[in-house]
């Protein structure tokens, strides 16, 4: 499996959200997340372009790993 993410600055969150929703998109998560990334002390994973990550989602104070 290959995960691809697009990250960008958003100038107007409400406008962009409305445009996405008007195009058929649906909000599936609203909250915060924390990425915990792991590697060896010499960076073996980074050298192979691999990531070992635990992503914690927080919705209303409840953690979902």
């Amino acid at each position: 499996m290959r995960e691809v993410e697009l990250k960008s600055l958003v100038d107007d969150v409400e406008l962009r959200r409305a445009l996405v929703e008007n195009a058929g998109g649906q909000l599936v998560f609203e909250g915060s997340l924390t990425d915990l990334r792991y590697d060896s002390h010499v960076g073996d994973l980074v050298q192979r372009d691999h990531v070992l990550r635990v992503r914690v989602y927080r919705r209303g104070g409840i953690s979902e790993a």
Side-chain angles (χ1 to χ4, degrees):
M1 179 175 93
R2 183 169 185 97
E3 179 183 14
V4 178
E5 292 180 343
L6 172 65
K7 298 177 184 178
S8 65
L9 296 175
V10 178
D11 56 348
D12 184 332
V13 173
E14 294 305 318
L15 171 64
R16 302 303 170 197
R17 178 179 284 180
L19 290 171
V20 169
E21 290 175 348
N22 289 338
Q26 293 182 339
L27 181 64
V28 295
F29 174 79
E30 186 170 11
S32 65
L33 63 92
T34 302
D35 279 338
L36 304 171
R37 293 175 179 250
Y38 295 89
D39 202 344
S40 70
H41 67 283
V42 293
D44 294 320
L45 293 176
V46 169
Q47 291 174 20
R48 293 192 309 252
D49 196 27
H50 292 178
V51 174
L52 174 58
R53 171 180 66 201
V54 174
R55 181 170 275 175
V56 180
Y57 292 89
R58 288 185 177 81
R59 179 186 321 203
I62 300 170
S63 294
E64 303 173 22

